[in-house]
Amino acid sequence: MSADLDGELSARLLRGLRIAQTVITLVILFGLNLPNLLAGAAAYHPAWVAPVGWAVLVAVAVVDAVLVARHRFWGRARPPVALGVLALAVLMPLALDPAQLGGPPHLTLGVVGWIWVLLFAGARLRGLVALILAHLLIVLGLLVATGRTDRVTLVAFGISAVGVTSFQLAIALAGSALRPVARQAVEAAESEARARTAEAVARAVHADREARYAELRAVALPLLRGIGDGTLAPSDAEVQQAAARAAARLRRMFAEEGDADDALAAELAALIDIAERRGVVVRYSERGPRPVPPPDAAGALLVSAEAALHAARAAARVTLAGVGGAVVVGVVTDGAARVPLPDVADVGTSTVEAGGATWVEARWAPRS
């Protein structure tokens, strides 16, 4: 998710820069290249090479403008398109009069770098730098091959190459610098979201505990007062049952404090609450360290525990234990339980009935 957010924020931050790059490229294509095309098309043999090549470059720039408008990048299409532009930058000079190499009719010299800047927006710069260097070396090789090695030509070519490519690389570096900015912004936003979530969870847990302690006080305090002032007799069966119920809930609350983030224990606590509200006295215990089962396995364990607790009439004992890398939920009730067979991998159940009691064990044992 962090990577997705990083990419989304990078796209938003890059959009303004990409718009500027598109405008620069289109201005060069129509403001500089088009007049040179109209004036120097005769220097190409055949003459149609110049307008066709220029139209291809315009088409790439227009497609990139559409991608910018849709907040998208070239993705997998980037390498073939970039290499196609490089091939065009080689073929067009080959069709050009050698005397015009490096001159105004040499349409690709000052613009293909901008096309690559568009293609490599949001990507690493190694590909862009490699293509620009390859293009400059190819043009220099053509100048040498055609005998254009006089000082004036080479100096003019060097000035043009350094001036244009330095501007292109500076713009590309600005886009590359936005990626760490986006990453830092996403990390800061995630940290803030985690802090807010933790605070909200803490408030919810605190409110839940306060409500449960208030409910326990409403049951336990009158019971203690009654025993203290003699209005309730400790020998009374109902008083003993109420006291056992309150003690069981108190022990379970203390057990839950040991691992507040244990989802399985929390769900078991909810099932025990339901049983206790029916008047069932439930004793709960946790034993040993245990792994965290996947959601489907935890759900299967809870289904077995729910079926066993639902069958309890007056008393039940629930145990959550870790045994040799497995998670075991055991429930002993005073009623006959019908436990459904789990349909989850690595989860098994067993049921034993004896002496009017039912023992149900659900076990998740992941395969090594």
Side-chain angles (χ1 to χ4, degrees), residues 120 122-128 176 179:
F120 283 86
R124 297 185 181 275
L125 298 183
R126 290 177 297 184
L128 172 64
S176 180
R179 283 197 300 273

Side-chain angles (χ1 to χ4, degrees), residues 313 332-336 352-359:
R313 296 191 300 268
V332 179
T333 72
D334 57 358
V352 177
E353 296 184 9
T358 302
W359 176 69

Side-chain angles (χ1 to χ4, degrees), residues 18 25 30 61 65 116 133 164 171 208 251 254 272 294 301 304 319 345-346 365:
R18 293 181 72 194
T25 305
F30 286 93
W116 288 324
L133 290 178
V164 174
I171 297 295
D208 179 66
R251 284 195 302 270
F254 289 151
I272 293 171
L301 296 176
S304 299
T319 303
D346 303 331

